[in-house]
Amino acid sequence: MLRTFAFLSVAIAAPLAAAPTFQDTAAIDRAVAAFAGHGIGEEGGARTPVDSRLRLATCPMVSMAWRSDAHDAVVVSCTGPEWRLFVPMRMPATAPKAAAPLVIEPTNAPQPIRPVYVIKRGDPVTISAGSPGFTITREGVAAGDAIAGGRFLVKVDQTRAPVQAVAIAAGRATLPGWTE
């Protein structure tokens, strides 16, 4: 009977001894309050206590630092078993305000220039190409818009593919590579 009791006590104690230990969140709260100089819920202190349901591995020594220059959160970290925790802080009323919204004032900057089309889609166009002594002309219909000096397509015949032309003036064009 004594043997059975000893065996049962060892069997029961072994799982309890092997149970993992977790970091005390109340100790983290106290350390953050000491680091910030203010208690939980106070201005300049932690907004709320660290959630006690967290199961962080036990750390022999935690380190603390501000997350940013705004002191909006404390970073609690451990390098032994590696983990990191962010504790949001309650900002004091004298904290710097956020930057003012950017306001763009209207200026007298020139407006973008819209292109002036000398030939528009559907306009009748005369394509001419030549040199001193001869000129070849052909009639067609513009298949797109064009500014002076811009290229566009001209439908010359219904059965053939459109021809590329360079706009000269309203209703007038030449072939690429030819001058007027």
Side-chain angles (χ1 to χ4, degrees), residues 27-100:
I28 294 174
D29 288 334
R30 288 188 301 273
V32 168
F35 179 78
H38 299 282
I40 297 170
E42 296 176 9
E43 287 189 8
R47 285 186 194 166
T48 60
V50 175
D51 191 348
S52 61
R53 295 174 292 180
L54 285 175
R55 299 294 179 231
L56 301 169
T58 303
C59 183
M61 180 178 289
V62 295
S63 64
M64 291 186 213
W66 291 110
R67 185 180 73 89
S68 68
D69 291 335
H71 294 199
D72 58 346
V74 172
V75 180
V76 182
S77 58
C78 180
T79 56
E82 195 166 329
W83 53 262
R84 182 170 54 178
L85 178 68
F86 293 86
V87 179
M89 305 304 283
R90 192 161 176 228
M91 301 302 292
T94 59
K97 303 276 186 196

Side-chain angles (χ1 to χ4, degrees), residues 126-130 136-138 151-152 154 156 163-168 172-180:
T126 302
I127 303 172
S128 60
I136 298 173
T137 59
R138 187 73 186 209
R151 293 185 181 213
F152 68 106
V154 178
V156 179
V163 176
Q164 190 177 56
V166 178
I168 297 172
R172 292 186 34 220
T174 187
L175 294 175
W178 294 87
T179 59
E180 185 179 17

Side-chain angles (χ1 to χ4, degrees), residues 98-120:
L102 177 63
V103 178
I104 299 175
E105 296 291 328
T107 62
N108 293 334
Q111 297 297 322
I113 300 172
R114 293 187 178 174
V116 177
Y117 296 107
V118 293
I119 297 176
K120 295 191 178 185

